[in-house]
Every structure is written in C-alpha cells, then in structure tokens.
Amino acid sequence: ILKCWRTSVPENRIPQANACALGALLTLVLALGSAPRPAIAAGDELVLAVQPILDEQQTRKAFQPLCDYLGQATGRGCRLFTSPNFYAYWDKVRLGTAFNLVLDAAHFTDYRVQKLGYHVLAKVPDTVTYTLITRDSELLLDANELTGRRIATLGIPSIGAARLNVLFPNPSRQPVAVEVDAAEQAIRLLLDGKVSAAILPTPIVAQQMASGAGVSVLITTDPIPHIGLSAAPSIDADTRAALSKALLNAHTREDGQKMLKQIGFERFDPATAAVYAGQGKILREYWGY
C-alpha cells in the first residue's frame, strides 16, 4: 500500500532505504493513532504557515508583513509558522493541527482542499514554473546528460522534487537528488561545484541570473497555478470573507500596497478550489498521502 520515493538520496541524511522504512512506520503510527483533524489555534489566533522555499529566518522576514496585515484586517492576532525543511513541513501538513492559514504551492493547496476541507481565499497572479539550471561552465544541452549526476532540489515532497522525478521517469537512468533545506543552499552547492545542476522556482532562478550568477537554463517545466492562500474549516465564514476581501483589495489600499511591496507580489487574485483541482495527485507517490 505504501509507496516510497525512488530517486532521492539526501546529503548527510539517512539512506534511501531507511528513509523509506521510516516513512512507512510513521504512516502506520498515524493511521493507528488518529485521523487528520482540522487545523486549530489558541483562541481566535490566526496562524499563517508558508512553505519552506526559504530558510526559517528568511521566511519570517519575507512574510511577517502579510501575517500582520491579515491580523489587522480581522482584528485577530496572527502568528507566522515556519518549518526547517519539507520533511518537517509534510508531517505538519498531513496532521493539519499546527496552523489554520496557509500560503502554499498548488499541490499542497489542492491536498488540503481534498483531505482537510480547506477553503481557497486568493492566489498570487498567473502561474509558476520550475527551472533546471547548471553552471555556465558545464556546457550541457539536454537533461538526460545529468543521469547519474548530482542535482540539488528542495526536499520531498516539494514540487521541485516531484518535478525532478517526472523529468527522469526511467528508473535505470536517474540522477542523484541532493536535498536542501532552502533555495539559497541549492544555488551555493551549484556554484561551488558540489552538484551538477539544481531545480528551483523560476522566479528565484531569474533573480540569480539578474545578479550575475554564472548559471544556464537547461529546461523549464510546464506552468502550474501560482501559490494560493487557504483557510482551515475551523475559521468561520465571516472571518474567511474578511480575509479574502483584505487580500483582494490590498493593491487598492495604502497599508495593503506597503504589505505587497514587502512580500514581493503585485496583488492577490480571486481563486477557488477549482483552480487547483487535480494538482494534489502528484503527492500520491509519497508516504502518508
């Protein structure tokens, strides 16, 4: 019944076989102990989680303005929830008890809608892709040339790790995935020559290239809906409506414009569960789904 990932061999972490066995054990414990429950927070507190693309300190710095804005818009306190890596994050996602608001990638957003009854409130405009990059000096022309070589990726089950598996469907012709806890670490490993490539969100790649980093684009994945903000069913309908209104009107308000500038987004657009429908299927490959 349980499936384990096929290609990931984290650097300085437990071997693949042990990781797989550990995942199976954790899943059994969760299944026997209790079913996933809706997110809860102390009193009326809003707890906003953000996927760990950045490290915890950078995540807090980048998204605390959004948390503050939502707290002020609803008259409720807002606390930011961070995770050190995607292993820890996935555990909290499945339990659904550590937070009640989430700004997250398409596959996790759909998962929460389907499994935990979350409500999608808004999304960042447009779509997002992931880009596989190498150093300029590598002179690679095709992703298949990376078979057997080391590729840095955000940890399982991030969309980057999942997309990497899709790029190499042949079990006998796989790269070695080196999992990192933040995008910055992947860039550092690549530029230091410790990996041959890295797969990261395209906006982060664009920032690196604009700053003069010596990297080249090998391939860019198909687009998926950009990150969305969703609320747990424990948040009442009136509060959800207030949150959605505050997000959608942010670009028309002085305090909202300031917040958007701080978090690096132009605005928030309307969104529903239908926007993300089917994106969560990619998580079926991982233990605990």
Side-chain angles (χ1 to χ4, degrees), residues 56-123:
E56 290 187 273
Q57 182 178 356
Q58 290 173 321
T59 299
R60 283 190 288 270
K61 181 179 179 180
F63 292 101
Q64 187 61 51
L66 173 61
C67 193
D68 294 341
Y69 176 78
L70 295 176
Q72 292 169 5
T74 58
R76 298 167 64 166
C78 185
R79 172 169 54 89
L80 199 64
F81 177 91
T82 62
S83 296
N85 52 53
F86 273 94
Y87 284 105
Y89 187 62
W90 177 228
D91 186 50
K92 296 300 184 183
V93 166
R94 292 182 297 107
L95 289 175
T97 58
F99 39 77
N100 50 24
L101 285 176
V102 195
L103 183 66
D104 212 346
H107 62 325
F108 286 131
T109 299
D110 185 43
Y111 176 91
R112 287 192 186 86
V113 169
Q114 302 302 324
K115 296 284 188 176
L116 300 174
Y118 270 60
H119 302 269
V120 178
L121 304 182
K123 69 180 290 292

Side-chain angles (χ1 to χ4, degrees), residues 20-42:
C20 188
L22 177 60
L25 177 60
L26 288 173
T27 302
L28 288 174
V29 170
L30 289 171
L32 293 173
S34 62
R37 295 166 291 172
I40 58 175

Side-chain angles (χ1 to χ4, degrees), residues 253-273:
R253 302 168 38 166
E254 184 176 349
D255 58 342
Q257 292 169 357
K258 179 180 178 181
M259 177 272 295
L260 290 170
K261 183 177 181 180
Q262 289 174 315
I263 68 174
F265 295 129
E266 178 184 354
R267 66 181 190 278
F268 282 92
D269 282 349
T272 65

Side-chain angles (χ1 to χ4, degrees), residues 19-263:
C20 188
L22 177 60
L25 177 60
L26 288 173
T27 302
L28 288 174
V29 170
L30 289 171
L32 293 173
S34 62
R37 295 166 291 172
I40 58 175
D44 290 335
E45 183 183 39
L46 299 175
V47 182
L48 172 65
V50 180
Q51 61 172 339
I53 297 292
L54 306 173
D55 66 31
E56 290 187 273
Q57 182 178 356
Q58 290 173 321
T59 299
R60 283 190 288 270
K61 181 179 179 180
F63 292 101
Q64 187 61 51
L66 173 61
C67 193
D68 294 341
Y69 176 78
L70 295 176
Q72 292 169 5
T74 58
R76 298 167 64 166
C78 185
R79 172 169 54 89
L80 199 64
F81 177 91
T82 62
S83 296
N85 52 53
F86 273 94
Y87 284 105
Y89 187 62
W90 177 228
D91 186 50
K92 296 300 184 183
V93 166
R94 292 182 297 107
L95 289 175
T97 58
F99 39 77
N100 50 24
L101 285 176
V102 195
L103 183 66
D104 212 346
H107 62 325
F108 286 131
T109 299
D110 185 43
Y111 176 91
R112 287 192 186 86
V113 169
Q114 302 302 324
K115 296 284 188 176
L116 300 174
Y118 270 60
H119 302 269
V120 178
L121 304 182
K123 69 180 290 292
V124 172
D126 304 319
T127 58
V128 68
T129 60
Y130 272 67
T131 296
L132 183 64
I133 58 174
T134 62
R135 293 184 302 279
D136 285 343
S137 58
E138 286 283 350
L139 300 177
L140 299 177
L141 300 177
D142 191 284
N144 289 326
E145 297 179 65
L146 291 168
T147 298
R149 302 175 73 171
R150 293 157 64 85
I151 300 179
T153 176
L154 292 162
I156 286 170
S158 69
I159 196 65
R163 290 286 185 172
L164 185 60
N165 274 343
V166 172
L167 288 174
F168 295 90
N170 187 340
S172 65
R173 295 186 56 80
Q174 296 285 324
V176 177
V178 177
E179 295 186 10
V180 298
D181 294 336
E184 185 179 72
Q185 184 183 355
I187 294 291
R188 191 163 58 247
L189 289 175
L190 178 62
L191 296 180
D192 289 346
K194 295 181 178 180
V195 297
S196 296
I199 185 166
L200 295 168
T202 300
I204 291 178
V205 172
Q207 290 174 2
Q208 290 297 319
M209 297 183 76
S211 68
V215 298
S216 297
V217 172
L218 196 58
I219 191 172
T220 297
T221 66
D222 293 335
I224 58 175
H226 217 313
I227 56 177
L229 197 144
S230 57
S234 58
I235 294 182
D236 63 90
D238 288 343
T239 301
R240 294 199 306 268
L243 288 165
S244 181
K245 181 178 179 181
L247 289 167
L248 298 180
N249 291 339
H251 66 287
T252 67
R253 302 168 38 166
E254 184 176 349
D255 58 342
Q257 292 169 357
K258 179 180 178 181
M259 177 272 295
L260 290 170
K261 183 177 181 180
Q262 289 174 315
I263 68 174

